[in-house]
């Protein structure tokens, strides 16, 4: 005696159970893709018929049936939708023929454009009108759908301000001689221990990846520098010792330990949506530059020049010029940079990044060349400003005078420059640092900063005595504020 049973199973339950127990079979793969529930009895009858025909069996009377075959779903569709979606005119006759070809039953058209389509039980993949439209387009031929570029609407401005700024920064750094790389978004969190960052450092606030591609890179990067420095190490290992790279990419900062899961049976409230958004990681756009070796190569024109912390700071100025903002440079002590060769980059009094030479101990621990320099800025923190300076043309000549000031070693050159700019008055056109000197004659912990000062008046020619008066006024203000002494 053989008892036959025929059944169909819930696809989602089969798929979950198969994966939980790691038991995959032909039956599990078939059922998790969906099986026609209407063939249960037909399959049972066929099995019994084969046993009678080939096994000489006899079928007893009676059977037990549990459950019912679900009613065929009916989907309402606007017959003009396929034409609107594809940009190709499909007639009602074509739509009806294609739907009947896949086993659907189409009701009579009413006075409008709506039509009810009865879905066959074996088409478990059709649930809404877009699925029907996909079948129509597939059978009619996707190659018949034309490729037409969208026409911008009147008043369209093209790229957004953020997109334009990102493109301008990338172009500016490329024109300055940097080669672009795309840093990996994943890093090893142990790098922050190598850098000896404080426990409350913002860069330690990383987002963990549940299923990382590499076991040693299991968190999203909160800084571009680790992967940028890895690129430097790979280039140096392959014999390319003169390298200057830049990267432009988003980083991630964790804002919450967990994300609430609202009820999915209805639309979340505005408060729930706001709570969800606030728990997502913050992803500001950062730009970073790294450099090692020579920036200018040795040749018939003379000796080469090494990439220094001043070039890293200049790359920050290049980013600022491309973004149309003014930056301030101040001395800073932030790891992984060298305490005496690190600058904080400020915009509007707010720190947006750092630049300078990396700490020698950190470079040694990471296997990087000595004197490697880096810069990283938060582009998202930069304000959007329209910087359209009015050109000033004058037919009167400018007068140039130099000034050299001796200051303490810890006084930033930018602070001295701004002080001279303020003290020289409105006749000053520009002031530029051109030399830094240290020596025994200056005294211990002292340095000499030499500046070029250009003066010009819009309505007359200046005299040497007049310009010298303004130069001395600038030196006097620097002496009062910074204790600077003017060199002869």
């Amino acid at each position: 005696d053989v008892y036959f049973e025929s059944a169909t199973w819930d696809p989602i339950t089969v798929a979950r159970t198969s994966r939980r127990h790691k038991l995959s079979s032909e039956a599990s793969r078939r059922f998790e893709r969906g099986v026609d529930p209407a063939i249960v009895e037909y399959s049972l009858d066929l099995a019994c018929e084969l046993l009678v025909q080939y096994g000489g069996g006899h079928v007893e009377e009676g059977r037990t049936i549990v459950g019912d075959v679900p009613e065929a779903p009916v989907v309402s569709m606007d017959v003009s939708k396929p034409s609107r979606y594809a940009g190709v005119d499909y007639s009602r006759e074509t739509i009806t023929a294609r739907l009947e070809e896949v086993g659907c039953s189409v009701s009579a058209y009413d006075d409008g454009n709506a039509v009810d389509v009865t879905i066959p039980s074996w088409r478990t993949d059709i649930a809404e009108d877009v699925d029907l439209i996909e079948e129509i387009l597939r059978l009619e031929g996707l190659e018949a759908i034309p490729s037409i570029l969208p026409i911008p609407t009147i008043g369209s401005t093209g790229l957004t301000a953020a997109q334009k700024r990102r493109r301008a920064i990338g172009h500016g750094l490329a024109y300055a001689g940097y080669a672009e790389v795309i840093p990996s978004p994943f890093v090893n969190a142990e790098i922050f221990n190598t850098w000896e960052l404080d426990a409350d450092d913002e860069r330690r606030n990383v987002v963990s990846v549940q299923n990382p591609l590499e076991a040693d890179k299991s968190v999203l990067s909160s800084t571009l520098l680790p992967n940028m420095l890895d690129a430097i190490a790979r280039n140096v290992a392959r014999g390319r010792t003169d390298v200057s790279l830049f990267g432009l990419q988003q980083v991630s900062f964790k804002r919450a330990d967990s994300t609430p899961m609202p009820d999915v049976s209805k639309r979340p409230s505005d408060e729930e949506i706001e709570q969800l958004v606030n728990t997502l990681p913050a992803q500001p756009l950062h730009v970073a530059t790294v450099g090692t070796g020579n920036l200018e190569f040795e040749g018939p024109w003379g000796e080469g020049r090494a990439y220094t912390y001043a070039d890293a700071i200049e790359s920050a100025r290049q980013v600022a010029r491309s973004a149309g903002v003014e930056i301030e440079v101040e001395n800073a002590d932030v790891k992984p940079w060298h305490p005496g060769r690190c600058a904080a980059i400020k915009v509007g009094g707010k720190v947006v990044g750092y630049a300078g030479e990396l700490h020698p101990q950190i470079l040694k621990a990471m296997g990087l060349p000595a004197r490697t320099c880096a810069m990283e800025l938060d582009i998202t923190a930069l304000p959007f400003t329209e910087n359209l300076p009015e050109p000033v043309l004058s037919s009167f000549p400018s007068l140039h005078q130099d000034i050299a000031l001796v200051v303490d070693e810890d006084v930033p050159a930018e602070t001295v420059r701004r002080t001279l700019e303020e003290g020289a008055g409105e006749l000053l056109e520009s002031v530029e640092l051109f030399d830094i000197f240290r020596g025994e004659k200056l005294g211990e912990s002292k340095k000499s900063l030499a500046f070029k000062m250009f003066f010009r008046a819009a309505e007359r020619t200046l005299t040497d005595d007049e310009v010298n008066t303004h130069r001395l006024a600038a030196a006097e203000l620097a002496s009062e504020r910074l204790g600077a002494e003017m060199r002869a």
Side-chain angles (χ1 to χ4, degrees):
D1 293 335
V2 181
Y3 183 82
F4 277 85
E5 178 185 16
S6 177
T8 184
W9 313 99
D10 178 54
I12 296 179
T13 303
V14 172
R16 288 176 177 172
T17 306
S18 174
R19 284 158 177 76
R20 183 185 305 118
H21 296 290
K22 296 181 175 59
L23 294 174
S24 179
S25 64
E26 182 179 352
S28 68
R29 290 190 294 271
R30 185 181 297 272
F31 276 109
E32 68 187 28
R33 287 169 173 78
V35 175
D36 183 5
I39 67 171
V40 172
E41 285 195 75
Y42 296 103
S43 301
L44 180 65
D45 292 339
L46 178 59
C48 294
E49 181 182 348
L50 292 174
L51 186 62
V52 170
Q53 181 178 353
Y54 297 105
H58 172 70
V59 180
E60 296 290 344
E61 295 291 336
R63 69 175 61 194
T64 301
I65 300 177
V66 179
D68 298 318
V69 177
E71 293 184 5
V74 178
V75 176
S76 179
M77 185 185 72
D78 187 343
V79 294
S80 64
K81 254 190 175 182
S83 301
R84 295 204 311 268
Y85 278 32
V88 179
D89 188 20
Y90 298 113
S91 65
R92 294 192 176 192
E93 291 76 14
T94 300
I95 293 174
T96 302
R98 291 305 187 184
L99 292 179
E100 290 178 346
E101 185 177 341
V102 296
C104 296
S105 176
V106 182
S107 66
Y109 291 92
D110 55 18
D111 294 337
N113 289 327
V115 62
D116 291 333
V117 181
T118 303
I119 310 301
S121 58
W122 66 84
R123 291 305 302 266
T124 57
D125 58 322
I126 298 179
E128 49 188 342
D129 58 351
V130 291
D131 299 324
L132 297 173
I133 295 173
E134 182 181 359
E135 293 297 321
I136 296 170
L137 302 186
R138 178 178 63 84
L139 294 172
E140 281 295 303
L142 299 179
E143 66 279 358
I145 301 175
S147 298
I148 302 175
L149 293 176
I151 300 175
T153 58
I154 297 177
S156 175
T157 57
L159 298 177
T160 64
Q163 291 171 330
K164 291 179 180 178
R165 182 170 70 177
R166 177 172 182 163
R167 183 172 293 186
I169 291 173
H171 287 174
L173 291 174
Y175 296 153
Y178 290 87
E180 183 177 12
V181 295
I182 302 177
S184 170
F186 308 106
V187 297
N188 189 340
E190 288 298 320
I191 189 65
F192 302 130
N193 295 329
T194 303
W195 290 1
E196 299 180 354
L197 298 186
D198 296 334
D200 58 348
D201 194 288
E202 183 185 21
R203 288 167 289 182
R204 287 188 179 271
N205 195 24
V206 294
V207 180
S208 299
V209 181
Q210 292 185 352
N211 188 22
L213 298 176
E214 300 177 66
D216 60 340
K217 292 187 176 182
S218 58
V219 298
L220 294 177
S221 61
S222 58
T223 168
L224 300 181
L225 291 185
N227 289 315
M228 296 284 292
L229 294 175
D230 285 346
I232 289 286
R234 284 194 298 273
N235 278 272
V236 172
R238 288 160 175 77
R240 188 176 180 86
T241 56
D242 303 320
V243 188
S244 54
L245 308 174
F246 85 92
L248 191 59
Q249 191 168 276
Q250 286 181 317
V251 296
S252 300
F253 294 93
K254 184 174 66 175
R255 293 198 293 182
D257 294 330
S258 61
T259 300
M261 182 59 67
D263 184 7
V264 297
S265 63
K266 60 181 180 180
R267 182 188 183 277
S269 64
D270 294 339
E271 292 76 13
E272 290 175 325
I273 294 176
E274 183 179 1
Q275 185 180 12
L276 285 172
V277 172
N278 291 335
T279 58
L280 295 176
Q283 292 186 298
L285 181 65
H286 278 205
V287 61
T289 61
V290 291
T292 188
N294 284 336
L295 183 64
E296 298 176 3
F297 302 110
E298 183 179 1
W301 48 85
E303 297 181 356
R305 185 176 71 83
Y307 191 99
T308 67
Y309 71 93
D311 298 298
I313 297 174
E314 179 59 27
S315 69
R317 291 193 174 97
Q318 176 60 52
V319 171
R321 287 192 292 268
S322 301
V325 297
E326 295 289 338
I327 65 171
E328 303 171 8
V329 180
E330 292 185 0
N331 190 30
D333 183 3
V334 177
K335 295 178 180 178
W337 284 275
H338 193 295
R341 296 173 182 150
C342 173
I345 311 300
K346 291 186 175 182
V347 175
K350 178 182 177 182
V351 176
V352 296
Y354 298 93
E357 183 179 313
L358 299 178
H359 199 286
Q361 293 181 356
I362 295 176
L363 292 176
K364 183 178 180 180
M366 298 180 65
L368 292 169
R371 302 293 188 183
T372 298
C373 303
M375 178 278 296
E376 185 168 12
L377 289 182
D378 182 0
I379 297 178
T380 305
L382 301 181
F384 285 97
T385 57
E386 189 175 27
N387 187 15
L388 301 174
E390 180 181 356
V392 178
L393 301 177
S394 175
S395 58
F396 296 95
S398 65
L399 285 184
H400 160 226
Q401 287 199 7
D402 294 340
I403 185 171
L405 300 175
V406 179
V407 296
D408 293 335
E409 184 66 45
D410 58 351
V411 177
E414 179 66 15
T415 301
V416 179
R417 191 195 69 81
R418 290 200 301 265
T419 303
L420 292 176
E421 192 174 42
E422 180 182 349
E426 59 182 11
L427 293 181
L428 180 68
E429 188 174 64
S430 65
V431 54
E432 301 173 1
L433 175 69
F434 70 90
D435 183 58
I436 300 177
F437 174 75
R438 296 175 178 87
E440 295 181 359
K441 294 182 179 180
L442 297 180
E444 197 172 327
S445 301
K446 293 288 185 177
K447 62 182 177 182
S448 173
L449 303 177
F451 296 87
K452 293 180 179 180
M453 305 181 71
F454 295 90
F455 296 86
R456 190 196 303 266
E459 70 286 347
R460 57 191 174 86
T461 300
L462 297 176
T463 63
D464 290 336
D465 293 339
E466 189 176 10
V467 169
N468 190 54
T469 301
H470 286 273
R471 183 176 73 97
L472 294 177
E476 183 177 355
L477 182 61
S479 176
E480 293 176 1
R481 289 188 180 178
L482 309 175
E485 296 180 3
M486 195 166 69
R487 292 180 64 192

